[in-house]
Amino acid sequence: MLLVTLVILAALNCTLGQGGWWKNAVYYRIMVDSFKDGDGDGLGDLIGVTKQISYIRAIGADAVIISPISSRSKDCSAPGVMDHTAIDNRYGDMDVFNEFLQKAKRLELKVVITLPLSTISTASEWFRSSVDGVPEYEDHVVWRHGNYDTSSEDQNISWTWNERRNAYWGGANNEALLNLCLSSVVAILSSAQCAWLRRGIDGVLINPDYLLDQKCGEDLLKKLAADSLSCRRGAGLDMPVILVETSLNPLEAARYYGNRGPGASSIVSGAMTDVSQLSTTKVGIDVQSALLTAVTDSVPTWMTSTSNGNHITSRIGTDLVDAVNLLALMLPGATLIHQGDELGVADTILEWATSTNCWPNQASPSLTPFPWDESISAGFTTGDPWLPLPPNYRYANAKMEFSNEFSHAGVLKVAAALRKSPAMGPHSEIKRLNGALAVLRWGGQGTLLVISNLDRDQTEVQPSMIPGLPTEMTVAISSAGSRLSTGAHVALEKSVSLAPGETILLIGGPRHCGGPGPVDKIANKLTEGWQKINKYFSNL
């Protein structure tokens, strides 16, 4: 009994990972504006997040990522960050933030903050000082000199003329670009990161992409990574995580890992967020690219949706919600569940919006208020929500789905639990089985195999094409509408038919559990060979 216990503990240790809790973490990304309104003004806030954070732990998450809460301009014509270290009072104050941190700690949830780094509001002191040429501030914003009629758009940067400075300032979405190539700007941003880390958070999520010079973005990340360690060490806190969400391709994004120096803990992969093409082949290639470009001892974080994109349902359809969530949870590395994707929530329809108020963030379809129940305000607010509710909230809401084990949320909860079980081994294999993508996790006390048909045609798969599997496995959970229900036994030597979007998660005994593994067999053959050779020479 003691031996069995030790083996299980060893398997769990491999599963949870060593040298960094984030390597196998399940993150849940909260969009604070749209998660829960605690004061009735229609906008989500930290009071609401604190009230409902238990939900995140209940669905199986280990950590929560909250969207930017830094102070932002209240002038709609000059959006953007005003102070990177201060909390926007529309979300709450430091006391409310501390209450949130304390509750997260009681729930054993890690907390990661999203830090916006690349832009600043034109209403900020930084911008005004740069306009006036104040020493040490004059180049904090990107400027370009030239004649007024040369104003143009290039590299997704807009150039706007400023009479006082007699130059153009570079911007994106009406926010001024910070000069990330300037050491003094980098130092200020590093100081802002340190301020948040000293408050007790467990890490930051950043996007260091820099439109003017990507090398400056890489250098910024190295500085933030190096300073984060000294900042936390000085405060007597654990090593923080630095997650990078980037628009670069996997090969270019891999430079953020630092190449043996300070760098990202993990790069968030968009392998399953491409709107234009989601297919078995495309996802398989993108997943392998993210894995192969990661440096030694680093693993990607697989997100279900981007922060500024569309939810799974609106992006590729309800029938693929479970497929994306299950693959994200079974792939080697960490998982980032975007708010609402566990329910199959759809994007809001902005044409339905009636509010003319100026909010901290610009309205977008993916910022739909979170549906807690089927009531008239979806349990999100007691007032008028800042954006229209998702069109499918009457049935895609937390109240209805959480208690239904066959709902999208039910599927995710089972997979998240199995992810932490001894069956989730440290080894993985990713294969294409005809028209389906298969992810195998083995090396623990059991074997987990997820098979997902991401194509638009029915496909036949034969799991026995993966060597060493048990002859039979059991369905732990399957996608909504699947013909293979929980508890069904699947004979692996027979073909399995999967409809478009259909996904199954199988559990079984250890790989090669029926006898000696291939290494043992090879060693035995070598021993027999040497014995025959020795016998031959002894008879000469």
Side-chain angles (χ1 to χ4, degrees):
M1 184 66 180
L2 177 61
L3 178 61
V4 173
T5 302
L6 290 175
V7 170
I8 291 176
L9 288 174
L12 278 171
N13 193 40
C14 289
T15 301
L16 296 177
Q18 296 177 331
W21 58 267
W22 56 83
K23 289 188 176 181
N24 292 283
V26 176
Y27 299 97
Y28 186 93
R29 172 153 53 191
I30 285 178
M31 309 306 289
V32 178
D33 304 65
S34 299
F35 188 65
K36 174 68 176 177
D37 174 20
D39 59 12
D41 67 351
L43 180 74
D45 48 43
L46 289 171
I47 295 176
V49 170
T50 304
K51 180 179 179 180
Q52 297 293 75
I53 194 176
S54 300
Y55 166 82
I56 296 168
R57 190 58 166 162
I59 62 174
D62 308 300
V64 56
I65 300 174
I66 64 174
S67 59
I69 57 173
S70 298
S71 176
R72 296 182 65 85
S73 171
K74 293 181 173 61
D75 181 355
C76 287
S77 64
V81 175
M82 297 290 287
D83 185 338
H84 287 87
T85 60
I87 296 175
D88 195 298
N89 58 18
R90 287 166 288 191
Y91 298 133
D93 55 24
M94 194 56 65
D95 289 337
V96 175
F97 180 73
N98 287 333
E99 289 178 14
F100 159 67
L101 285 182
Q102 291 169 10
K103 185 169 182 180
K105 185 175 182 180
R106 291 196 299 271
L107 293 170
E108 299 183 339
L109 273 173
K110 302 288 188 180
V111 175
V112 175
I113 295 286
T114 304
L115 283 184
L117 301 174
S118 58
T119 60
I120 197 80
S121 170
T122 56
S124 67
E125 187 63 32
W126 271 30
F127 185 81
R128 289 196 297 269
S129 297
S130 188
V131 169
D132 294 336
V134 175
E136 298 184 6
Y137 283 89
E138 57 184 344
D139 294 323
H140 278 201
V141 171
V142 174
W143 294 96
R144 189 180 76 176
H145 295 278
N147 297 324
Y148 182 78
D149 59 5
T150 64
S151 178
S152 62
E153 301 277 341
D154 61 330
Q155 298 183 5
N156 299 316
I157 298 174
S158 62
W159 296 97
T160 305
W161 180 257
N162 184 276
E163 290 285 354
R164 292 176 61 187
R165 179 71 183 240
N166 196 32
Y168 297 97
W169 57 269
N173 299 319
N174 293 323
E175 300 177 20
L177 288 176
L178 291 174
N179 185 358
L180 299 186
C181 297
L182 195 65
S183 59
S184 57
V185 171
V186 172
I188 293 174
L189 294 175
S190 178
S191 178
Q193 175 193 242
C194 188
W196 284 105
L197 290 173
R198 287 180 180 275
R199 289 166 182 166
I201 65 171
D202 300 286
V204 295
L205 175 102
I206 61 174
N207 183 337
D209 294 352
Y210 191 47
L211 298 173
L212 293 173
D213 188 341
Q214 190 56 41
K215 182 64 167 57
C216 295
E218 295 169 23
D219 292 340
L220 167 66
L221 178 60
K222 292 176 183 177
K223 173 68 172 174
L224 293 175
D227 289 355
S228 70
L229 299 179
S230 59
C231 174
R232 293 283 283 194
R233 193 179 300 118
L237 300 170
D238 295 334
M239 184 170 65
V241 60
I242 294 185
L243 301 178
V244 168
E245 187 171 8
T246 171
S247 59
L248 300 179
N249 65 56
L251 191 60
E252 294 174 323
R255 295 199 291 266
Y256 285 136
Y257 280 117
N259 192 21
R260 298 182 181 179
S265 308
S266 181
I267 294 175
V268 181
S269 171
M272 291 174 288
T273 63
D274 191 344
V275 180
S276 62
Q277 182 183 11
L278 186 72
S279 67
T280 295
T281 302
K282 177 71 164 55
V283 172
I285 291 173
D286 289 348
V287 164
Q288 294 287 13
S289 295
L291 288 170
L292 290 173
T293 53
V295 298
T296 304
D297 295 330
S298 296
V299 287
T301 296
W302 311 100
M303 65 178 163
T304 59
S305 295
T306 61
S307 58
N308 58 354
N310 303 102
H311 286 97
I312 302 172
T313 295
S314 297
R315 188 169 74 243
I316 50 178
T318 306
D319 57 335
L320 284 167
V321 168
D322 295 328
V324 171
N325 288 336
L326 286 172
L327 286 171
L329 285 164
M330 290 297 116
L331 285 167
T335 305
L336 193 164
I337 305 296
H338 185 73
Q339 174 182 308
D341 277 349
E342 78 283 8
L343 303 176
V345 168
D347 292 346
T348 191
I349 300 175
L350 291 182
E351 287 78 5
W352 293 357
T354 57
S355 175
T356 58
N357 291 341
C358 182
W359 304 104
N361 289 300
Q362 184 177 357
S364 70
S366 62
L367 283 175
T368 180
F370 189 86
W372 292 100
D373 55 40
E374 70 279 14
S375 65
I376 191 170
S377 61
F380 168 72
T381 181
T382 57
D384 295 324
W386 76 291
L387 285 180
L389 300 174
N392 63 345
Y393 86 94
R394 294 286 186 182
Y395 56 88
N397 61 71
K399 179 181 176 182
M400 295 186 70
E401 289 204 30
F402 193 81
S403 59
N404 180 0
E405 61 181 307
F406 302 111
S407 66
H408 296 310
V411 169
L412 185 139
K413 284 193 297 179
V414 170
L418 284 174
R419 182 183 173 88
K420 296 177 175 64
S421 75
M424 184 77 163
H427 308 303
S428 63
E429 288 186 23
I430 302 167
K431 294 181 178 293
R432 177 177 174 176
L433 298 178
N434 204 3
L437 188 67
V439 178
L440 175 70
R441 301 305 301 264
W442 63 283
Q445 292 301 293
T447 301
L448 291 174
L449 175 64
V450 61
I451 307 176
S452 180
N453 179 11
L454 300 176
D455 290 339
R456 290 298 175 180
D457 297 313
Q458 184 166 307
T459 189
E460 299 286 330
V461 300
Q462 192 163 344
S464 62
M465 292 180 65
I466 302 175
L469 293 181
T471 58
E472 184 179 87
M473 298 182 76
T474 304
V475 177
I477 199 71
S478 59
S479 58
S482 172
R483 295 175 297 102
L484 295 168
S485 58
T486 300
H489 300 297
V490 178
L492 300 195
E493 70 275 7
K494 297 180 179 179
S495 63
V496 178
S497 179
L498 295 178
E502 187 174 0
T503 303
I504 55 174
L505 175 58
L506 304 174
I507 185 169
R511 198 176 191 187
H512 298 301
C513 59
V519 175
D520 300 318
K521 293 178 181 178
I522 293 171
N524 290 339
K525 290 293 183 182
L526 288 172
T527 301
E528 292 173 6
W530 281 114
Q531 288 173 348
K532 290 179 180 179
I533 291 172
N534 290 333
K535 184 177 181 180
Y536 171 77
F537 282 106
S538 65
N539 291 331
L540 291 178

